[in-house]
Amino acid sequence: MEKELKTRTVTFYKECFSEFFIKQREKVQDKITWTLDLIEQLEKVPETYLKHIENTEGLFEMSKT
């Protein structure tokens, strides 16, 4: 199996994401992890998964799908 190359690295603000993530059911954690992997691997991420927050530089919102 080929290892996927990352086109970007996802970083989180403080402990906000970790605190949110550990409170989720396993199925939801799996979906979040899958989406984060997708965001790191795809050169162009569909706005379905990731939306730029207006008037910011490099800040994005992950959408529910």
Side-chain angles (χ1 to χ4, degrees):
M1 178 182 281
E2 264 185 61
K3 184 176 179 176
E4 296 289 331
L5 296 176
K6 289 184 178 186
T7 58
R8 68 186 54 79
T9 300
V10 174
T11 56
F12 305 104
Y13 180 72
K14 297 187 180 181
E15 297 300 318
C16 298
F17 177 77
S18 298
E19 292 170 4
F20 162 78
F21 187 78
I22 61 173
K23 293 178 184 175
Q24 305 307 308
R25 297 185 320 267
E26 183 178 359
K27 185 175 180 177
V28 174
Q29 288 181 355
D30 290 345
K31 189 171 184 179
I32 292 169
T33 301
W34 180 85
T35 304
L36 291 172
D37 287 343
L38 185 75
I39 290 166
E40 288 187 327
Q41 294 169 8
L42 292 178
E43 188 170 324
K44 292 187 178 184
V45 180
E47 203 169 272
T48 305
Y49 300 107
L50 194 66
K51 184 176 181 180
H52 179 256
I53 298 175
E54 292 182 22
N55 302 317
T56 68
E57 187 175 324
L59 189 57
F60 293 84
E61 173 183 36
M62 197 165 102
S63 305
K64 292 191 302 185
T65 55

